[in-house]
Amino acid sequence: MLFDGENVGDYGADPIVERVVVVEVKTGSKIHDSHQTQTLNCLNASKLRVGELMNFGPIAEFDRFYLQPFTPRGREVSGSSV
């Protein structure tokens, strides 16, 4: 990872499927809030809108995350014209 032209560390990217979905894989006892936060941070950093959190612990768990499209304040998005 570069900052101001200098190497400041390594970054191990999460798998990205079809350039659309960020996949976060865990192997803990369960999905924790910190795992959900990390998945959302990866989505924001990648500029993608769909994330899949998979935990392969004693019981397999899966969560899907969607980032809403950005709508400028004061603008309504609707299907009908005014």
Side-chain angles (χ1 to χ4, degrees):
M1 181 175 292
L2 297 177
F3 176 77
D4 205 20
E6 291 190 43
N7 186 357
V8 294
D10 295 325
Y11 172 71
D14 293 309
I16 297 176
V17 179
E18 296 289 324
R19 291 181 272 169
V20 175
V21 180
V22 172
V23 179
E24 186 75 33
V25 180
K26 301 294 183 189
T27 59
S29 60
K30 66 176 190 168
I31 291 177
H32 295 280
D33 290 343
S34 61
H35 299 152
Q36 295 171 333
T37 301
Q38 183 178 9
T39 303
L40 290 171
N41 286 338
C42 289
L43 280 178
N44 285 315
S46 69
K47 306 292 187 216
L48 297 176
R49 294 196 174 148
V50 180
E52 194 72 41
L53 172 58
M54 302 176 178
N55 181 50
F56 296 101
I59 297 174
E61 298 176 282
F62 307 94
D63 276 345
R64 181 170 285 170
F65 298 85
Y66 300 96
L67 291 183
Q68 297 296 319
F70 174 74
T71 303
R73 200 169 176 192
R75 291 187 63 195
E76 299 268 335
V77 177
S78 69
S80 60
S81 58
V82 178

